[in-house]
Structure formats: C-alpha cells, structure tokens
Amino acid sequence: MSYSRPEPSRLARMSTAAESAKTAELAAMAERYGLSRSSARPSLRTYLIELWGRRQFIVSYARARTYAVYAGARLGSIWQVLTPLLNAGVYYLAFGVLLGTKNGIENYASFLICGMFVFSYTQRSMTEGSRAISANMSLIRTLHFPRATLPLAYVVNELNQMFLSMGILFLMVGFSTGPNWHWLLLIPALFLQTLFNIGATLVFARLGAFLTDISQLLPFITRTWLYASGIFFSIPAKLEGLHAPGWVIQVLSLNPISAYIDIARRAVLEEHVKNQLPHAWEISIIWAGISLVGGFIYFWRAEDRYGRG
C-alpha cells in the first residue's frame, strides 16, 4: 500500500492556517483578560503620564551616571567644572590672544567662558544623548519603561553641571562688578535652553539607536556649530567691522545657540547689552517650542522599535 505526501504548497497553507488560528485564539484570550502587547507604543497622553511617574528614576539615574563617569578620576566630579574652564583657557589663548578677537570686547574672559558654558551644555546633551539608547540595550530589553527616561536623564546630568559652571561664572563676574538683579534673567534663559536641549537630545537619541555612526559624526557637526555661534567674538560687532548688511546679522541670529548665548550674556554681563543680537528672546522661545514638541513626537513614534534586533 502506498501513501501520497501532501504537496509543499499545501503544507505551507496548512501551517499558515494553523498559525493564524493560534494567533486568533491567543488574541481573543488576551482581550478577554485585558492584556496588551508589552512592546506596543502607548498613546502620547499615556506616555507623558508614565514619564512623569518615573521622574524620580530620571533624577536618580542622572546622579548615578555622574558618579560612574568620574569615579575613576582622582579629582572626581571636580572635572565637571575643570573641563569647560580648561577648554575656555585654550580658546582664550588661541582666539583672544593669538587671533585678537578679544579686541573691543570688555571683560573678554567672562564673555568667552559664558559662551563656552552655554554651548557645552547643548553640545554634551546631544553627544551623550545620542548614545542613550544604544548604550543601555540590556536595560531596555530587560525592563518595560518609557525609553525617553534615558535621554532625559542625560539632560538632567548636564543641567547639574551647568549649575556648577554658572556658579564659577558668577564668582568671576561678582568679583569685578558685584551682584546684579539682571542675573535673575539667567533663570528663564536656562529654562528655554533646557527645553531646546531636551528636544534635540531626543532627536539624536533616536538617530543613535538606529544609526550607530551618528556618534562619530556629531563631534564634527558640533565643532562647526561652535565656530559659527559667536562664542569667541561678538557677532554684531564683528559684522559691523566688516560692514556686512543688517540681514546677515538677522540670519546668524537665527542660530539657536547664538540666541541662547546672547540672552545668557545679557543676564550676566552688562557691557554685552550694546552688542546684543536682535530678537534673541523671541528666537529662543520659538526654537525651544519647536525642538521640544518636534523632538518628543519624533522620539515617541519609534517607542516600539527601541531594543529590537
């Protein structure tokens, strides 16, 4: 007696039908008991609520990361302040002394350091945030939590360093001019920059999760951004000396970092008011809103893809 074997195509159809029936049965059971897929992307409102519920984790993770970064250094967390100060010293020698950009700028040391601190806050948030997902894959694949908590913790970490840096700047300026009520304007200035940094960090966190080369490209991008943001020179004063038309200043002032540096310098340095950028506050507010909303939605839309593969 001989038996005929089913055709391969028929076997495939039978297997597919069995899998579909099993999937439908499991879906019905999950619906009956109120279960949902753990990796599914929640609604935007639910996502925000979950993030707020994990605010303590964000702060604690930022502190732990700061400790881990400087645990092996002899000076420890002092490097949080020394690093931007040493960078400012190098740029002061290279640009202020050798290239003469300090000519015509009062209190150039504080002018330069203020710009370096503000720029470093955004630069480090973006650079470190680009590795927030890829560097924490084991945590992501083990626990279920809003992935945005990781890049947000990186921003909180850099904000803590910014507070220390600004304390150093206040001491420098205070010794020469004394305290001033204008310093209070630094609070809304840092608030707006923090909103911008959150959005930018979320964007680069998503890019870094799927494009591993982005962390290699970022230093070149931020270095170019550094030279175009008026950190070493006053943009209006420099362009006025070059007899550049007014629209050039308007275009350069659209650079978000230039705007954040400008409003921070206005708050700390009285002598900077005469060389301020036009509409810097308005530009800062617009960039903060665009970056925060756009960056958050961009990151949230890939929530169900982080940690796969």
Side-chain angles (χ1 to χ4, degrees), residues 3 33 40 97 135 155 174 188 200 206 221 238 295:
Y3 298 92
Y33 292 102
V97 176
V155 176
R206 173 174 171 175
I221 296 173
K238 177 64 69 174

Side-chain angles (χ1 to χ4, degrees), residues 44 47 148 151 195-206 287-302 306:
L44 190 58
Y47 195 69
L195 296 183
F196 174 82
N197 288 355
I198 289 173
T201 302
L202 288 171
V203 169
F204 282 97
R206 173 174 171 175
W287 270 114
I290 292 175
S291 176
L292 180 65
V293 176
F296 190 86
I297 293 176
Y298 179 72
F299 184 90
W300 164 76
R301 289 180 62 86
Y306 301 127

